[in-house]
Amino acid sequence: EMLELHYLANPDGAVDFALLTDWADSSVEISPTDSEVLTHATRTIERLAQKYERTGRRFYLLHRARIWNGTDGLWMGWERKRGKLSELNDLLLGNAETTFMDTGARPPEGVRFVVTLDSDTRLPRGTVAALVGKMMHPVNRPVNDPVTGLVVSGHAVLQPRITPSLTTGAEASAFQRIFSAGRGMDPYVFTVSDLYLDLLDSGSFAGKGIYDVAAFEAAMAQRFPENAVLSHDLLEGTLARAALTTDVQMVEDFPIRYDIDAARQHRWVRGDWQLLPFILDLGNGIDGLGRMKMLDNLRRSLMAPTWILASVLGWLVLPPEIVWIWQIGLLATLFFMPIMNFQSGLMPSQKDISGARHLGRIASDLAGHLQEICLRLIFMPHQAALMLDAILRTLWRLLVSRKNLLEWRTARQVQDSGAASKRASWRRMAASPAIAVAAMGLTML
């Protein structure tokens, strides 16, 4: 259904649409249920292709067989999403054998660009044509170094603006309404500007966008060890030179519950810390700017634990006449971005807008910002525990166990499996009251 919507929004030009799929991890290579699902998907894609066959074959199913992962002791798609893209490039370039199964027709030869979308990403009308036009601009055309393969000028990847959606109906939630309004600082969710691109002409890639197949694959070839890379987007954006195009946008579903968002952040932080070996290896082709971006992600993951530590230490070691100033200063850090966003909307955007309507919008914005600040303060202990768990878990896996480095659960899996009851929320967020009780006890002592 989503592929059909993508096609109806972008029907012009030589644009094909494909589902790029794996089965879930399993203890067996293939099960009867797997075959049923694949048969259903193959039949449905074929029906979709026939529905629009007057414009030529447009729809494909590219499904990969599981292979045995000896490190984790299970059957899974090779290298998950990074492996999907790598094998897709091989298929399009005719370079090597892949694990794609026989599911019918294959994409035509000569595909030059690939637009990557997650299953919860939506393409507004004309997005593909706009992205291809920008990729074809002489300034953007990528040039690979003939020796290293790295993109040295132009851009092999373009990252469009990502706008979070608002869900309506039964799945709508207060969490989504408050946090999907574009007030956040998360570069993976609110891709609206790129300081690195503005100042240093090298942007970041957040996984959704367009890339030049040949230039991208030349920059990526033989650079990733197996069973080691979970978050590959930043590496790809660095090696293939990414750029942000803010006047083209995609829409992505925003998590409807806090636990879904927390699970996603935990996965991102694990992926960021698994790049530590790439930061320390000076001979892998990653420049200083790329390492700085990776270190910046590590810094961001330490903000919540540092905030909690600074607050607790303030009560424990500072004299009474100073501790209040210290704590107010910490609280002010939560207010800074909302205040900046709020004051930018104080002046009317149009001259003919009524005063009452403008004041009503200001009051609504103020209420939203205050809700966001309060919830961020409430979530802070859990965020600190979540980040520390992700960091310590990753360091253990990197340095000791060497297992589960590709552990991955999609947002849909988390949403379907996560209980939304109050008891389940208390169980998941038990670290918050534990930290509060411990901090209060230490302060009283």
Side-chain angles (χ1 to χ4, degrees):
E1 291 176 353
M2 186 63 76
L3 277 188
E4 185 174 13
L5 291 175
H6 291 333
Y7 166 73
L8 294 174
N10 297 268
D12 299 325
V15 186
D16 298 318
F17 302 84
L19 278 182
L20 198 57
T21 59
D22 287 344
W23 279 311
D25 298 351
S26 176
S27 58
V28 297
E29 183 177 6
I30 189 169
S31 70
T33 304
D34 296 331
S35 300
E36 289 180 14
V37 174
L38 182 58
T39 300
H40 171 74
T42 304
R43 186 184 304 120
T44 309
I45 287 289
E46 193 61 34
R47 190 159 56 238
L48 188 61
Q50 293 175 4
K51 182 177 179 180
Y52 298 100
E53 63 181 352
R54 65 183 182 277
T55 60
R57 179 85 190 198
R58 290 295 190 98
F59 299 95
Y60 304 90
L61 175 65
L62 302 177
H63 180 79
R64 300 196 303 165
R66 293 189 185 102
I67 65 170
W68 176 250
N69 186 314
T71 302
D72 294 340
L74 49 79
W75 293 88
M76 60 179 287
W78 178 71
E79 292 293 304
R80 300 207 186 280
K81 184 180 175 182
R82 183 183 75 80
K84 284 183 186 178
L85 292 179
S86 177
E87 290 200 279
L88 174 65
N89 295 340
D90 286 337
L91 179 68
L92 297 177
L93 296 171
N95 289 342
E97 292 293 325
T98 67
T99 62
F100 286 115
M101 300 176 64
D102 183 9
T103 53
R106 293 294 177 90
E109 297 181 357
V111 172
R112 182 166 180 183
F113 303 114
V114 168
V115 177
T116 64
L117 306 170
D118 289 339
S119 59
D120 56 358
T121 310
R122 306 170 198 173
L123 275 180
R125 185 170 179 82
T127 301
V128 174
L131 288 173
V132 171
K134 291 179 181 294
M135 287 294 289
M136 291 296 292
H137 193 284
V139 172
N140 291 330
R141 290 181 184 176
V143 176
N144 295 83
D145 185 287
V147 177
T148 64
L150 299 177
V151 178
V152 293
S153 66
H155 304 283
V157 181
L158 285 185
Q159 168 73 59
R161 176 174 180 162
I162 304 296
T163 302
S165 69
L166 268 178
T167 302
T168 58
E171 289 193 331
S173 68
F175 174 79
Q176 188 187 61
R177 174 176 55 81
I178 293 169
F179 285 95
S180 68
R183 305 185 184 100
M185 291 288 288
D186 198 316
Y188 293 100
V189 181
F190 301 97
T191 310
V192 295
S193 63
D194 194 327
L195 186 65
Y196 294 111
L197 180 66
D198 295 340
L199 298 182
L200 302 171
D201 194 36
S202 178
S204 300
F205 183 40
K208 275 79 65 177
I210 186 171
Y211 66 86
D212 183 298
V213 176
F216 183 89
E217 189 59 24
M220 298 301 118
Q222 307 301 319
R223 294 191 182 275
F224 298 98
E226 289 196 18
N227 293 317
V229 179
L230 184 64
S231 293
H232 50 94
D233 305 331
L234 186 56
L235 287 173
E236 293 165 348
T238 298
L239 298 172
R241 283 183 52 87
L244 176 68
T245 169
T246 56
D247 57 342
V248 180
Q249 72 169 344
M250 295 178 182
V251 180
E252 184 169 76
D253 289 345
F254 194 86
I256 61 174
R257 295 200 312 263
Y258 172 71
D259 63 305
I260 301 173
D261 186 58
R264 182 171 65 167
Q265 291 186 47
H266 190 275
R267 186 183 74 235
W268 286 342
V269 171
R270 285 193 292 109
D272 290 336
W273 279 85
Q274 279 180 215
L275 297 181
L276 200 57
F278 290 85
I279 298 175
L280 301 177
D281 182 4
L282 301 181
N284 54 17
I286 300 173
D287 58 14
L289 179 58
R291 298 177 203 280
M292 185 170 69
K293 294 177 186 177
M294 297 180 201
L295 287 171
D296 192 38
N297 282 356
L298 305 190
R299 173 201 60 79
R300 187 166 53 250
S301 69
L302 292 169
M303 288 177 63
T306 303
W307 196 97
I308 292 293
L309 181 63
S311 179
V312 174
L313 288 179
W315 289 111
L316 295 180
V317 303
L318 294 179
E321 61 273 13
I322 298 178
V323 67
W324 295 105
I325 299 175
W326 176 257
Q327 298 296 343
I328 291 173
L330 285 176
L331 287 174
T333 61
L334 298 180
F335 283 77
F336 180 75
M337 282 308 300
I339 288 175
M340 292 289 290
N341 289 326
F342 176 69
Q343 62 87 25
S344 65
L346 288 177
M347 297 299 295
S349 58
Q350 300 176 359
K351 293 182 179 180
D352 57 348
I353 191 171
S354 70
R357 181 178 178 84
H358 181 61
L359 289 176
R361 187 183 62 79
I362 290 178
S364 176
D365 286 348
L366 179 60
H369 289 306
L370 290 176
Q371 287 176 320
E372 178 194 351
I373 292 168
C374 290
L375 284 177
R376 287 196 183 280
L377 184 60
I378 292 169
F379 292 150
M380 191 67 76
H382 180 254
Q383 285 284 307
L386 188 75
M387 297 298 102
L388 286 177
D389 178 84
I391 294 169
L392 295 176
R393 191 182 297 259
T394 302
L395 292 178
W396 170 263
R397 292 172 177 178
L398 276 176
L399 303 176
V400 182
S401 73
R402 301 298 303 173
K403 293 184 176 181
N404 298 318
L405 288 171
L406 298 182
E407 180 187 347
W408 179 288
R409 295 179 71 203
T410 66
R412 175 58 63 178
Q413 289 173 317
V414 175
Q415 180 174 329
D416 292 343
S417 63
S421 67
K422 292 182 180 179
R423 177 176 296 182
S425 296
W426 271 94
R427 186 171 60 252
R428 280 192 300 267
M429 298 181 66
S432 290
I435 291 173
V437 170
M440 181 176 289
L442 287 172
T443 303
M444 293 176 69
L445 288 174

